[in-house]
Amino acid sequence: PEPLTYDEAKGRWDGEEWIKATELEIGTLRSMECFDVVHAPKGVKVITSRIVYKLKLDRNGQPFRYKARIVAKGFQQRWGVDYVDSFSATAHPTAIR
């Protein structure tokens, strides 16, 4: 099974692979300028995040890719207080073959 936390991931026998996957995800987000590190103003509720790990196996059941994704815990938001509109990414019909 995949690790549930970063500490669990780095403490495993394959921890080095999970750390590389995590660093790759953070590096990708930084290179795409997806976020800025800032100080939160007083009284503002900060939405936390977590890392989701997934091990991809080849057709023989052997590990071939360690994936890490940083996801926001959006369930911490309240409609009308923390947000008013929601957004769902959709594909343009001409992009689908």
PDB file of all heavy atoms in Angstrom, residues 3-26:
ATOM      1  N   PRO A   3       2.088   5.056   1.050  1.00  0.00           N
ATOM      2  CA  PRO A   3       2.146   5.762   2.340  1.00  0.00           C
ATOM      3  C   PRO A   3       1.052   6.823   2.421  1.00  0.00           C
ATOM      4  O   PRO A   3       0.602   7.355   1.401  1.00  0.00           O
ATOM      5  CB  PRO A   3       3.534   6.400   2.331  1.00  0.00           C
ATOM      6  CG  PRO A   3       3.958   6.431   0.913  1.00  0.00           C
ATOM      7  CD  PRO A   3       3.258   5.321   0.219  1.00  0.00           C
ATOM      8  N   LEU A   4       0.630   7.129   3.628  1.00  0.00           N
ATOM      9  CA  LEU A   4      -0.420   8.121   3.844  1.00  0.00           C
ATOM     10  C   LEU A   4       0.130   9.496   4.205  1.00  0.00           C
ATOM     11  O   LEU A   4      -0.549  10.499   4.023  1.00  0.00           O
ATOM     12  CB  LEU A   4      -1.387   7.650   4.928  1.00  0.00           C
ATOM     13  CG  LEU A   4      -2.147   6.357   4.611  1.00  0.00           C
ATOM     14  CD1 LEU A   4      -2.999   5.936   5.805  1.00  0.00           C
ATOM     15  CD2 LEU A   4      -3.001   6.529   3.363  1.00  0.00           C
ATOM     16  N   THR A   5       1.347   9.545   4.727  1.00  0.00           N
ATOM     17  CA  THR A   5       1.957  10.817   5.116  1.00  0.00           C
ATOM     18  C   THR A   5       3.389  10.873   4.626  1.00  0.00           C
ATOM     19  O   THR A   5       3.992   9.842   4.278  1.00  0.00           O
ATOM     20  CB  THR A   5       1.974  10.978   6.653  1.00  0.00           C
ATOM     21  OG1 THR A   5       2.837   9.977   7.207  1.00  0.00           O
ATOM     22  CG2 THR A   5       0.581  10.870   7.251  1.00  0.00           C
ATOM     23  N   TYR A   6       3.952  12.084   4.620  1.00  0.00           N
ATOM     24  CA  TYR A   6       5.345  12.265   4.213  1.00  0.00           C
ATOM     25  C   TYR A   6       6.277  11.507   5.157  1.00  0.00           C
ATOM     26  O   TYR A   6       7.218  10.854   4.713  1.00  0.00           O
ATOM     27  CB  TYR A   6       5.689  13.752   4.184  1.00  0.00           C
ATOM     28  CG  TYR A   6       7.114  14.022   3.775  1.00  0.00           C
ATOM     29  CD1 TYR A   6       7.504  13.917   2.450  1.00  0.00           C
ATOM     30  CD2 TYR A   6       8.075  14.389   4.717  1.00  0.00           C
ATOM     31  CE1 TYR A   6       8.813  14.151   2.067  1.00  0.00           C
ATOM     32  CE2 TYR A   6       9.378  14.630   4.341  1.00  0.00           C
ATOM     33  CZ  TYR A   6       9.743  14.514   3.021  1.00  0.00           C
ATOM     34  OH  TYR A   6      11.041  14.744   2.651  1.00  0.00           O
ATOM     35  N   ASP A   7       6.021  11.591   6.456  1.00  0.00           N
ATOM     36  CA  ASP A   7       6.870  10.893   7.428  1.00  0.00           C
ATOM     37  C   ASP A   7       6.832   9.387   7.204  1.00  0.00           C
ATOM     38  O   ASP A   7       7.865   8.716   7.294  1.00  0.00           O
ATOM     39  CB  ASP A   7       6.446  11.222   8.862  1.00  0.00           C
ATOM     40  CG  ASP A   7       6.837  12.634   9.258  1.00  0.00           C
ATOM     41  OD1 ASP A   7       7.787  13.177   8.665  1.00  0.00           O
ATOM     42  OD2 ASP A   7       6.181  13.195  10.153  1.00  0.00           O
ATOM     43  N   GLU A   8       5.662   8.857   6.906  1.00  0.00           N
ATOM     44  CA  GLU A   8       5.553   7.431   6.623  1.00  0.00           C
ATOM     45  C   GLU A   8       6.314   7.086   5.343  1.00  0.00           C
ATOM     46  O   GLU A   8       7.000   6.070   5.267  1.00  0.00           O
ATOM     47  CB  GLU A   8       4.084   7.040   6.477  1.00  0.00           C
ATOM     48  CG  GLU A   8       3.882   5.557   6.251  1.00  0.00           C
ATOM     49  CD  GLU A   8       2.414   5.182   6.049  1.00  0.00           C
ATOM     50  OE1 GLU A   8       1.529   5.947   6.466  1.00  0.00           O
ATOM     51  OE2 GLU A   8       2.180   4.118   5.459  1.00  0.00           O
ATOM     52  N   ALA A   9       6.221   7.954   4.348  1.00  0.00           N
ATOM     53  CA  ALA A   9       6.889   7.710   3.064  1.00  0.00           C
ATOM     54  C   ALA A   9       8.400   7.660   3.225  1.00  0.00           C
ATOM     55  O   ALA A   9       9.063   6.761   2.703  1.00  0.00           O
ATOM     56  CB  ALA A   9       6.504   8.793   2.062  1.00  0.00           C
ATOM     57  N   LYS A  10       8.968   8.616   3.964  1.00  0.00           N
ATOM     58  CA  LYS A  10      10.429   8.646   4.074  1.00  0.00           C
ATOM     59  C   LYS A  10      10.966   7.578   5.029  1.00  0.00           C
ATOM     60  O   LYS A  10      12.140   7.255   4.974  1.00  0.00           O
ATOM     61  CB  LYS A  10      10.930  10.031   4.439  1.00  0.00           C
ATOM     62  CG  LYS A  10      10.575  10.526   5.789  1.00  0.00           C
ATOM     63  CD  LYS A  10      11.129  11.930   5.978  1.00  0.00           C
ATOM     64  CE  LYS A  10      10.909  12.369   7.409  1.00  0.00           C
ATOM     65  NZ  LYS A  10      11.459  13.648   7.713  1.00  0.00           N
ATOM     66  N   GLY A  11      10.116   6.991   5.849  1.00  0.00           N
ATOM     67  CA  GLY A  11      10.561   5.955   6.766  1.00  0.00           C
ATOM     68  C   GLY A  11      10.491   4.544   6.193  1.00  0.00           C
ATOM     69  O   GLY A  11      10.891   3.581   6.839  1.00  0.00           O
ATOM     70  N   ARG A  12       9.993   4.414   4.973  1.00  0.00           N
ATOM     71  CA  ARG A  12       9.849   3.097   4.353  1.00  0.00           C
ATOM     72  C   ARG A  12      11.137   2.658   3.672  1.00  0.00           C
ATOM     73  O   ARG A  12      12.035   3.452   3.441  1.00  0.00           O
ATOM     74  CB  ARG A  12       8.715   3.140   3.322  1.00  0.00           C
ATOM     75  CG  ARG A  12       7.352   3.320   3.943  1.00  0.00           C
ATOM     76  CD  ARG A  12       6.312   3.656   2.922  1.00  0.00           C
ATOM     77  NE  ARG A  12       6.366   2.831   1.729  1.00  0.00           N
ATOM     78  CZ  ARG A  12       5.354   2.099   1.276  1.00  0.00           C
ATOM     79  NH1 ARG A  12       4.212   2.095   1.934  1.00  0.00           N
ATOM     80  NH2 ARG A  12       5.459   1.407   0.183  1.00  0.00           N
ATOM     81  N   TRP A  13      11.190   1.387   3.291  1.00  0.00           N
ATOM     82  CA  TRP A  13      12.373   0.860   2.610  1.00  0.00           C
ATOM     83  C   TRP A  13      12.565   1.531   1.245  1.00  0.00           C
ATOM     84  O   TRP A  13      13.690   1.674   0.770  1.00  0.00           O
ATOM     85  CB  TRP A  13      12.271  -0.657   2.432  1.00  0.00           C
ATOM     86  CG  TRP A  13      11.119  -1.083   1.556  1.00  0.00           C
ATOM     87  CD1 TRP A  13       9.844  -1.347   1.949  1.00  0.00           C
ATOM     88  CD2 TRP A  13      11.150  -1.263   0.151  1.00  0.00           C
ATOM     89  NE1 TRP A  13       9.067  -1.678   0.868  1.00  0.00           N
ATOM     90  CE2 TRP A  13       9.847  -1.637  -0.264  1.00  0.00           C
ATOM     91  CE3 TRP A  13      12.142  -1.145  -0.825  1.00  0.00           C
ATOM     92  CZ2 TRP A  13       9.523  -1.886  -1.584  1.00  0.00           C
ATOM     93  CZ3 TRP A  13      11.807  -1.408  -2.140  1.00  0.00           C
ATOM     94  CH2 TRP A  13      10.517  -1.772  -2.507  1.00  0.00           C
ATOM     95  N   ASP A  14      11.469   1.986   0.621  1.00  0.00           N
ATOM     96  CA  ASP A  14      11.554   2.684  -0.660  1.00  0.00           C
ATOM     97  C   ASP A  14      11.374   4.196  -0.480  1.00  0.00           C
ATOM     98  O   ASP A  14      10.975   4.900  -1.395  1.00  0.00           O
ATOM     99  CB  ASP A  14      10.525   2.133  -1.645  1.00  0.00           C
ATOM    100  CG  ASP A  14       9.101   2.165  -1.108  1.00  0.00           C
ATOM    101  OD1 ASP A  14       8.911   2.493   0.078  1.00  0.00           O
ATOM    102  OD2 ASP A  14       8.182   1.868  -1.886  1.00  0.00           O
ATOM    103  N   GLY A  15      11.719   4.677   0.707  1.00  0.00           N
ATOM    104  CA  GLY A  15      11.540   6.083   1.052  1.00  0.00           C
ATOM    105  C   GLY A  15      12.251   7.042   0.124  1.00  0.00           C
ATOM    106  O   GLY A  15      11.756   8.127  -0.163  1.00  0.00           O
ATOM    107  N   GLU A  16      13.406   6.647  -0.360  1.00  0.00           N
ATOM    108  CA  GLU A  16      14.162   7.521  -1.264  1.00  0.00           C
ATOM    109  C   GLU A  16      13.359   7.814  -2.540  1.00  0.00           C
ATOM    110  O   GLU A  16      13.370   8.931  -3.053  1.00  0.00           O
ATOM    111  CB  GLU A  16      15.489   6.856  -1.612  1.00  0.00           C
ATOM    112  CG  GLU A  16      16.508   7.800  -2.188  1.00  0.00           C
ATOM    113  CD  GLU A  16      17.862   7.150  -2.300  1.00  0.00           C
ATOM    114  OE1 GLU A  16      18.405   6.707  -1.266  1.00  0.00           O
ATOM    115  OE2 GLU A  16      18.365   7.088  -3.438  1.00  0.00           O
ATOM    116  N   GLU A  17      12.649   6.811  -3.048  1.00  0.00           N
ATOM    117  CA  GLU A  17      11.834   7.004  -4.251  1.00  0.00           C
ATOM    118  C   GLU A  17      10.657   7.944  -3.974  1.00  0.00           C
ATOM    119  O   GLU A  17      10.316   8.787  -4.809  1.00  0.00           O
ATOM    120  CB  GLU A  17      11.309   5.657  -4.762  1.00  0.00           C
ATOM    121  CG  GLU A  17      12.397   4.726  -5.241  1.00  0.00           C
ATOM    122  CD  GLU A  17      13.140   5.250  -6.451  1.00  0.00           C
ATOM    123  OE1 GLU A  17      12.528   5.959  -7.282  1.00  0.00           O
ATOM    124  OE2 GLU A  17      14.330   4.948  -6.574  1.00  0.00           O
ATOM    125  N   TRP A  18      10.033   7.798  -2.804  1.00  0.00           N
ATOM    126  CA  TRP A  18       8.911   8.674  -2.452  1.00  0.00           C
ATOM    127  C   TRP A  18       9.383  10.114  -2.254  1.00  0.00           C
ATOM    128  O   TRP A  18       8.687  11.058  -2.645  1.00  0.00           O
ATOM    129  CB  TRP A  18       8.196   8.162  -1.208  1.00  0.00           C
ATOM    130  CG  TRP A  18       7.468   6.883  -1.421  1.00  0.00           C
ATOM    131  CD1 TRP A  18       7.725   5.678  -0.836  1.00  0.00           C
ATOM    132  CD2 TRP A  18       6.356   6.648  -2.302  1.00  0.00           C
ATOM    133  NE1 TRP A  18       6.851   4.720  -1.288  1.00  0.00           N
ATOM    134  CE2 TRP A  18       5.996   5.292  -2.198  1.00  0.00           C
ATOM    135  CE3 TRP A  18       5.628   7.456  -3.172  1.00  0.00           C
ATOM    136  CZ2 TRP A  18       4.945   4.734  -2.926  1.00  0.00           C
ATOM    137  CZ3 TRP A  18       4.589   6.903  -3.889  1.00  0.00           C
ATOM    138  CH2 TRP A  18       4.258   5.560  -3.765  1.00  0.00           C
ATOM    139  N   ILE A  19      10.558  10.293  -1.665  1.00  0.00           N
ATOM    140  CA  ILE A  19      11.102  11.639  -1.474  1.00  0.00           C
ATOM    141  C   ILE A  19      11.386  12.280  -2.825  1.00  0.00           C
ATOM    142  O   ILE A  19      11.077  13.447  -3.056  1.00  0.00           O
ATOM    143  CB  ILE A  19      12.354  11.603  -0.577  1.00  0.00           C
ATOM    144  CG1 ILE A  19      11.940  11.253   0.856  1.00  0.00           C
ATOM    145  CG2 ILE A  19      13.089  12.938  -0.615  1.00  0.00           C
ATOM    146  CD1 ILE A  19      13.088  10.975   1.785  1.00  0.00           C
ATOM    147  N   LYS A  20      11.967  11.507  -3.772  1.00  0.00           N
ATOM    148  CA  LYS A  20      12.222  12.026  -5.116  1.00  0.00           C
ATOM    149  C   LYS A  20      10.917  12.448  -5.794  1.00  0.00           C
ATOM    150  O   LYS A  20      10.853  13.493  -6.439  1.00  0.00           O
ATOM    151  CB  LYS A  20      12.930  10.980  -5.981  1.00  0.00           C
ATOM    152  CG  LYS A  20      14.400  10.872  -5.732  1.00  0.00           C
ATOM    153  CD  LYS A  20      15.036  10.049  -6.839  1.00  0.00           C
ATOM    154  CE  LYS A  20      15.614   8.788  -6.253  1.00  0.00           C
ATOM    155  NZ  LYS A  20      16.223   7.911  -7.240  1.00  0.00           N
ATOM    156  N   ALA A  21       9.873  11.636  -5.645  1.00  0.00           N
ATOM    157  CA  ALA A  21       8.574  11.955  -6.250  1.00  0.00           C
ATOM    158  C   ALA A  21       7.995  13.235  -5.641  1.00  0.00           C
ATOM    159  O   ALA A  21       7.444  14.077  -6.358  1.00  0.00           O
ATOM    160  CB  ALA A  21       7.606  10.789  -6.069  1.00  0.00           C
ATOM    161  N   THR A  22       8.138  13.397  -4.338  1.00  0.00           N
ATOM    162  CA  THR A  22       7.642  14.590  -3.656  1.00  0.00           C
ATOM    163  C   THR A  22       8.407  15.820  -4.109  1.00  0.00           C
ATOM    164  O   THR A  22       7.810  16.866  -4.408  1.00  0.00           O
ATOM    165  CB  THR A  22       7.759  14.423  -2.127  1.00  0.00           C
ATOM    166  OG1 THR A  22       7.051  13.243  -1.732  1.00  0.00           O
ATOM    167  CG2 THR A  22       7.192  15.621  -1.395  1.00  0.00           C
ATOM    168  N   GLU A  23       9.726  15.715  -4.185  1.00  0.00           N
ATOM    169  CA  GLU A  23      10.547  16.846  -4.622  1.00  0.00           C
ATOM    170  C   GLU A  23      10.239  17.213  -6.076  1.00  0.00           C
ATOM    171  O   GLU A  23      10.229  18.398  -6.430  1.00  0.00           O
ATOM    172  CB  GLU A  23      12.028  16.527  -4.445  1.00  0.00           C
ATOM    173  CG  GLU A  23      12.442  16.497  -2.986  1.00  0.00           C
ATOM    174  CD  GLU A  23      13.858  15.995  -2.771  1.00  0.00           C
ATOM    175  OE1 GLU A  23      14.507  15.533  -3.747  1.00  0.00           O
ATOM    176  OE2 GLU A  23      14.327  16.068  -1.623  1.00  0.00           O
ATOM    177  N   LEU A  24       9.973  16.218  -6.911  1.00  0.00           N
ATOM    178  CA  LEU A  24       9.612  16.480  -8.300  1.00  0.00           C
ATOM    179  C   LEU A  24       8.294  17.255  -8.371  1.00  0.00           C
ATOM    180  O   LEU A  24       8.165  18.210  -9.143  1.00  0.00           O
ATOM    181  CB  LEU A  24       9.502  15.170  -9.079  1.00  0.00           C
ATOM    182  CG  LEU A  24       9.078  15.301 -10.540  1.00  0.00           C
ATOM    183  CD1 LEU A  24      10.125  16.066 -11.339  1.00  0.00           C
ATOM    184  CD2 LEU A  24       8.854  13.922 -11.146  1.00  0.00           C
ATOM    185  N   GLU A  25       7.311  16.868  -7.577  1.00  0.00           N
ATOM    186  CA  GLU A  25       6.016  17.556  -7.562  1.00  0.00           C
ATOM    187  C   GLU A  25       6.183  19.004  -7.109  1.00  0.00           C
ATOM    188  O   GLU A  25       5.644  19.922  -7.735  1.00  0.00           O
ATOM    189  CB  GLU A  25       5.031  16.823  -6.643  1.00  0.00           C
ATOM    190  CG  GLU A  25       3.726  17.538  -6.413  1.00  0.00           C
ATOM    191  CD  GLU A  25       2.796  17.559  -7.613  1.00  0.00           C
ATOM    192  OE1 GLU A  25       3.160  17.073  -8.696  1.00  0.00           O
ATOM    193  OE2 GLU A  25       1.680  18.094  -7.477  1.00  0.00           O
ATOM    194  N   ILE A  26       6.934  19.221  -6.056  1.00  0.00           N
ATOM    195  CA  ILE A  26       7.155  20.586  -5.558  1.00  0.00           C
ATOM    196  C   ILE A  26       7.917  21.400  -6.603  1.00  0.00           C
ATOM    197  O   ILE A  26       7.580  22.557  -6.878  1.00  0.00           O
ATOM    198  CB  ILE A  26       7.893  20.566  -4.211  1.00  0.00           C
ATOM    199  CG1 ILE A  26       6.983  19.969  -3.130  1.00  0.00           C
ATOM    200  CG2 ILE A  26       8.347  21.964  -3.812  1.00  0.00           C
ATOM    201  CD1 ILE A  26       7.675  19.659  -1.827  1.00  0.00           C
TER     202      ILE A  26
END
